[in-house]
Amino acid sequence: MKKLLAALALSVSFAFPAQAEFKLDSRYTDADGDLIADTPADPARQIDPDTLIFAYTPVEDPAVYADVWKGFLDHLAEKTGKKVQFFPVQSNAAQIEAMRAGRLHVAGFNTGGNPLAVACAGFKPFAMMAANKDDAYGYEMEIITYPGSGIEKIEDLKGKKLAFTSETSNSGFKAPSAILKAEYGLEAGKDFEPVFSGKHDNSILGVANKDYPAAAVANSVLNRMVARDVVKRDQYVSIFKSQSFPTTGYGLVYNLKPELQDKIRDAFFTFDWEGSALLKEFQASEPPQEKFIPISFKDHWAVIRAIDEANGVSYDCK
């Protein structure tokens, strides 16, 4: 980890100048310098849809999460006076494109996809799940294999297949790519064969069923799947665990009317988690996710932008 952190520290030190590499698409403005799109000052450019479309990051079965989010979406409808519809997106790219095209208004974008959603879709993240105790939050990237795979340490990945999720995922691609290169000198396509599963649950089930010899995944997803008995702990072995990263960021599209934006924010911070399907699902994380806390994209996502910088990620929205 020391080599990675040194590399990231170097990129960050150059990037504040270098973080000028992160920039919003030309369709947006950022007059206050908070790195997110300003709401248009002209009321004619603001929108007030009759139905709010909500999407959760596509990490697992959308049908499961439609039920998990129902209670919150009912609360959101009550607070805003709007109809609210759950949109089951199948990929990070589809989720970003839906918001960019005006078909998605409120969303949870995964850790790695947040910067691209902010830059290209006018996403304004303002909340994240955290524990009741000390507002603790975060998850780790783990590289897992199955018992008896012959992979006992990171170096054993050489010459093998490693499952990633998608190129926009922090724990499913960006962080492990940076760590494997900085700490172990292992590069995808040169030292191991990368394969892409599309989602964290696909990677986890792929390892559990011995379809993939190893995979890089978010342990928040892994822990929830274990809690639901989708996989068992004796079906996998972890050979690496990273530092903690921020979790899914929740927010809204930049051009909603300001008063509607205020009502949406209020819905997140007034939701009663006690006895909810959200609590039942997300308290299985470590630390448990039991409430929404306010966040700053500029501050909380600095480490993710640094990882993007180390990986040479482009925020070109074309």
Side-chain angles (χ1 to χ4, degrees):
M1 186 63 68
K2 289 182 180 179
K3 290 182 181 179
L4 173 66
L5 294 178
L8 295 183
L10 183 61
S11 72
V12 170
S13 66
F14 286 125
F16 300 146
Q19 281 205 13
E21 293 296 321
F22 176 84
K23 60 182 179 179
L24 301 179
D25 188 60
S26 59
R27 66 168 68 182
Y28 311 120
T29 61
D30 178 24
D32 57 7
D34 62 359
L35 302 186
I36 59 177
D38 300 327
T39 300
D42 181 359
R45 296 182 57 212
Q46 300 167 4
I47 62 172
D48 188 20
D50 293 330
T51 299
L52 291 174
I53 307 300
F54 172 89
Y56 177 60
T57 182
V59 293
E60 298 184 55
D61 183 357
V64 171
Y65 280 84
D67 292 336
V68 167
W69 282 98
K70 185 180 184 304
F72 172 81
L73 298 187
D74 289 345
H75 176 71
L76 180 61
E78 180 181 349
K79 284 291 183 179
T80 60
K82 305 284 187 181
K83 295 178 181 177
V84 179
Q85 180 178 333
F86 184 87
F87 176 39
V89 293
Q90 297 297 323
S91 70
N92 296 318
Q95 188 179 20
I96 291 172
E97 178 55 34
M99 181 165 283
R100 183 175 170 87
R103 301 191 304 271
L104 178 61
H105 309 115
V106 186
F109 279 96
N110 72 353
T111 302
N114 245 269
L116 194 60
V118 170
C120 296
F123 180 55
K124 299 179 68 169
F126 60 79
M128 182 166 54
M129 291 183 182
N132 283 327
K133 182 179 180 181
D134 302 329
D135 289 351
Y137 65 85
Y139 74 97
E140 293 77 40
M141 180 276 294
E142 295 196 41
I143 296 178
I144 61 173
T145 184
Y146 57 83
S149 68
I151 299 173
E152 299 181 357
K153 56 186 183 300
I154 291 294
E155 290 82 357
D156 295 335
L157 292 171
K158 192 164 186 176
K160 306 287 199 314
K161 289 182 179 180
L162 176 63
F164 293 127
T165 58
S166 69
E167 291 184 349
T168 61
S169 174
N170 179 63
S171 54
F173 180 70
K174 295 177 182 179
S177 296
I179 289 169
L180 289 173
K181 182 177 180 180
E183 291 197 37
Y184 299 95
L186 297 175
E187 295 185 45
K190 177 182 176 183
D191 300 297
F192 63 89
E193 181 183 349
V195 294
F196 289 87
S197 72
K199 301 178 184 179
H200 287 274
D201 61 327
N202 292 346
S203 289
I204 293 164
L205 288 171
V207 168
N209 294 324
K210 302 182 180 181
D211 296 323
Y212 303 132
V217 300
N219 63 8
S220 55
V221 178
L222 180 61
N223 291 337
R224 294 199 301 271
M225 292 179 71
V226 169
R228 291 205 311 271
D229 205 28
V230 178
V231 295
K232 299 184 183 301
R233 293 201 182 277
D234 61 7
Q235 290 181 282
Y236 68 90
V237 176
S238 176
I239 60 171
F240 183 90
K241 186 175 182 179
S242 75
Q243 69 183 95
S244 293
F245 300 114
T247 60
T248 298
Y250 298 90
L252 45 79
V253 70
Y254 80 111
N255 60 343
L256 292 174
K257 285 190 174 296
E259 54 269 31
L260 179 55
Q261 293 189 33
D262 290 342
K263 291 177 181 178
I264 292 170
R265 289 188 182 92
D266 182 59
F268 275 85
F269 298 126
T270 60
F271 179 67
D272 183 3
W273 285 68
E274 187 65 31
S276 69
L278 272 189
L279 181 64
K280 182 179 179 181
E281 175 68 15
F282 288 99
Q283 67 181 353
S285 302
E286 183 57 46
Q289 298 176 15
E290 303 164 314
K291 65 179 179 180
F292 291 109
I293 60 170
I295 56 97
S296 158
F297 173 73
K298 187 173 185 178
D299 297 332
H300 288 82
W301 258 261
V303 64
I304 306 304
R305 295 194 301 275
I307 288 173
D308 283 354
E309 181 91 15
N311 282 331
V313 170
S314 169
Y315 297 104
D316 186 354
C317 303
K318 296 178 182 179

